[in-house]
Amino acid sequence: MVTSGGMRPGKLARELRARAGQAHRRLIWVLSWAPGLTRVLIPSPLRDPAVRRAYGRYLAGKRVVLVGPAPSIEGSRQRDLIESHDVVARVNHALPVPAHLRPDVGCRTDVLYHNLWRGDPRALPFPELVSLLEGHVQWVCAAYPYLNLDHPFADDIDRFVTDLAGRVPFHVPSNRRYLRTWWDCRTRPNAGISAIADLLSFDIARLYLTGFTFYAGSQAYHAGYRGSGRGSETIHDQGRQREFVARTLRTDGRLVADAVLGQILAVSSPTFPPASTGDAQP
């Protein structure tokens, strides 16, 4: 016997059980956030809308480049292109930019998005990170919201803010924006994905992505990036995040991917439009 969809009953039953199990696991995961979500009830200056407005004014109408740590940036010789943008943003452990990479990605950094996870073996102690930021970047941004969800993001942010001590303007993504991004990806977004979603929530002119492969290939990071290894596929599903970027490229004309990411997305997403990639000349 074959069902109207062309599937045998036994196979259909197994698939339905697998989907039900997956849905149950996701529900339990989301419900586990409930205690952390109560953090939203606690007043905090980190949720001051005036800070978000100030960051929005800083970004308004500007051409932004977001530089990731993928090995694809090595040999790209994009320094002039990257530094011709109005705002140069980087992620996580990008600073200081290694000397051998400066012809490829420059060294100017205006905005740093950081996961602020002190348990990362690549992470600098917060006082050292602050010393790199002060006098060199215009804004530092948390990659995650001021909530304790499947990770104690708010606790990490509190510790960082203590060491930052107001030396550099600090922006935290809105809870709603982050939760929407998580739902769209159906996984915890990488810091880079969080940065993309956050930047596109402002009135920027364009956002050029370079140095992102979402771990496609044998090497996760460029030589010189602190530490090694690959992100957990259990926590950060890279395939779903590639699908998120491909969808966003189709729906938001401000987003442009470099040629390497464009090729990766063209393979992983058959509907990805090659016209959305290119050299991103400003």
Side-chain angles (χ1 to χ4, degrees):
M1 178 179 173
V2 178
T3 65
S4 59
M7 186 178 295
R8 293 184 179 280
K11 184 176 181 180
L12 176 61
R14 288 193 296 273
E15 182 169 331
L16 290 175
R17 282 196 299 270
R19 290 184 180 181
Q22 186 180 52
H24 180 261
R25 289 191 296 273
R26 287 180 181 171
L27 177 61
I28 294 300
W29 192 27
V30 172
L31 290 177
S32 71
W33 295 1
L37 286 169
T38 61
R39 190 69 171 252
V40 77
L41 303 176
I42 303 174
S44 170
L46 292 173
R47 297 195 191 92
D48 185 352
V51 177
R52 179 175 175 82
R53 289 195 294 269
Y55 187 49
R57 288 193 296 272
Y58 169 73
L59 292 173
K62 292 182 177 176
R63 297 166 302 117
V64 182
V65 56
L66 182 63
V67 183
S72 58
I73 60 176
E74 295 182 84
S76 63
R77 292 298 188 266
Q78 293 188 94
R79 178 180 59 192
D80 292 344
L81 172 61
I82 287 170
E83 296 196 344
S84 72
H85 285 75
D86 303 311
V87 175
V88 178
R90 304 182 194 270
V91 295
N92 282 343
H93 316 296
L95 301 181
V97 177
H100 75 280
L101 280 181
R102 292 178 185 177
D104 298 320
V105 297
C107 59
R108 189 181 114 221
T109 304
D110 303 305
V111 174
L112 181 71
Y113 278 85
H114 202 291
N115 62 21
L116 303 179
W117 179 37
R118 297 193 302 171
D120 189 327
R122 291 180 293 268
L124 289 173
F126 283 165
E128 289 184 37
L129 176 60
V130 170
S131 69
L132 288 174
L133 299 173
E134 187 177 10
H136 296 93
V137 306
Q138 302 300 311
W139 283 85
V140 58
C141 305
Y144 297 109
Y146 190 61
L147 291 172
N148 286 334
L149 300 173
D150 57 330
H151 178 88
F153 299 124
D155 294 348
D156 291 343
I157 290 170
D158 282 338
R159 294 185 185 101
F160 177 71
V161 167
T162 298
D163 287 318
L164 186 63
R167 294 184 180 91
V168 180
F170 181 58
H171 161 71
V172 179
S174 74
N175 299 336
R176 180 179 298 180
R177 168 56 52 190
Y178 173 79
L179 292 173
R180 173 63 185 271
T181 304
W182 184 94
W183 180 254
D184 286 345
C185 293
R186 302 297 198 277
T187 188
R188 187 201 295 177
N190 297 343
I193 290 288
S194 291
I196 292 167
D198 190 56
L199 287 165
L200 290 175
S201 72
F202 293 96
D203 186 25
I204 61 174
R206 75 191 254 127
L207 175 59
Y208 172 47
L209 303 180
T210 190
F212 290 94
T213 60
F214 302 99
Y215 302 157
S218 60
Q219 187 177 340
Y221 305 111
H222 64 73
Y225 194 69
R226 282 191 299 278
S228 60
R230 305 175 72 84
S232 169
E233 284 283 349
T234 303
I235 298 173
H236 304 285
D237 187 308
Q238 305 303 326
R240 289 177 178 167
Q241 292 184 90
R242 285 192 290 269
E243 291 170 3
F244 171 81
V245 175
R247 287 195 304 272
T248 307
L249 281 158
R250 290 195 298 269
T251 58
D252 193 325
R254 298 174 298 167
L255 185 62
V256 178
D258 68 10
V260 173
L261 180 56
Q263 291 170 1
I264 291 168
L265 295 178
V267 170
S268 62
S269 178
T271 57
F272 177 74
S276 295
T277 69
D279 58 6
Q281 292 297 327

